[in-house]
Amino acid sequence: MDKDEDKKPILNLSFYKTDLGKEPVREWLKDLPKEDRQAIGEDIKTA
Protein backbone atom coordinates (compact mmCIF):
# COMPACT_ATOMS: atom_id res chain seq x y z
CA MET A 1 0.00 0.00 0.00
CA ASP A 2 1.26 3.45 -0.91
CA LYS A 3 2.10 5.87 1.94
CA ASP A 4 -0.35 8.45 0.54
CA GLU A 5 -3.16 5.88 0.64
CA ASP A 6 -2.51 5.37 4.36
CA LYS A 7 -3.14 9.07 4.99
CA LYS A 8 -6.43 9.38 3.09
CA PRO A 9 -9.28 10.23 5.43
CA ILE A 10 -11.90 7.52 5.81
CA LEU A 11 -14.52 10.08 6.76
CA ASN A 12 -15.14 13.57 5.50
CA LEU A 13 -16.16 15.70 8.46
CA SER A 14 -17.16 19.30 8.84
CA PHE A 15 -16.45 21.04 12.11
CA TYR A 16 -18.27 23.97 13.64
CA LYS A 17 -16.41 27.18 12.80
CA THR A 18 -16.74 30.43 14.75
CA ASP A 19 -17.04 33.82 13.05
CA LEU A 20 -13.31 34.24 13.68
CA GLY A 21 -12.55 30.99 11.83
CA LYS A 22 -11.70 28.91 14.89
CA GLU A 23 -12.76 25.25 15.07
CA PRO A 24 -12.96 24.53 18.81
CA VAL A 25 -13.97 20.88 18.52
CA ARG A 26 -11.24 20.12 15.98
CA GLU A 27 -8.68 21.89 18.19
CA TRP A 28 -9.86 19.86 21.19
CA LEU A 29 -9.58 16.60 19.24
CA LYS A 30 -6.07 17.44 18.07
CA ASP A 31 -4.99 18.00 21.67
CA LEU A 32 -6.07 14.48 22.68
CA PRO A 33 -3.64 11.55 22.71
CA LYS A 34 -3.55 9.55 19.46
CA GLU A 35 -5.22 6.54 21.09
CA ASP A 36 -8.18 8.66 22.23
CA ARG A 37 -8.55 10.29 18.79
CA GLN A 38 -8.56 6.87 17.17
CA ALA A 39 -11.18 5.56 19.61
CA ILE A 40 -13.41 8.58 18.94
CA GLY A 41 -12.94 8.10 15.19
CA GLU A 42 -14.01 4.46 15.46
CA ASP A 43 -17.09 5.48 17.42
CA ILE A 44 -18.01 8.09 14.81
CA LYS A 45 -17.60 5.57 11.98
CA THR A 46 -20.06 3.19 13.64
CA ALA A 47 -22.63 5.90 14.38
Side-chain angles (χ1 to χ4, degrees):
M1 189 176 277
D2 188 69
K3 284 185 180 182
D4 291 333
E5 289 178 8
D6 291 339
K7 294 183 180 183
K8 285 184 181 176
I10 295 170
L11 299 171
N12 290 317
L13 299 174
S14 297
F15 290 93
Y16 166 76
K17 192 179 278 191
T18 67
D19 291 337
L20 297 176
K22 301 237 180 206
E23 296 174 309
V25 174
R26 180 182 220 150
E27 293 167 13
W28 170 76
L29 284 171
K30 285 184 166 189
D31 286 341
L32 293 175
K34 183 177 182 177
E35 298 81 25
D36 291 343
R37 291 192 315 267
Q38 288 175 333
I40 291 169
E42 289 296 319
D43 289 344
I44 291 171
K45 282 193 319 188
T46 58

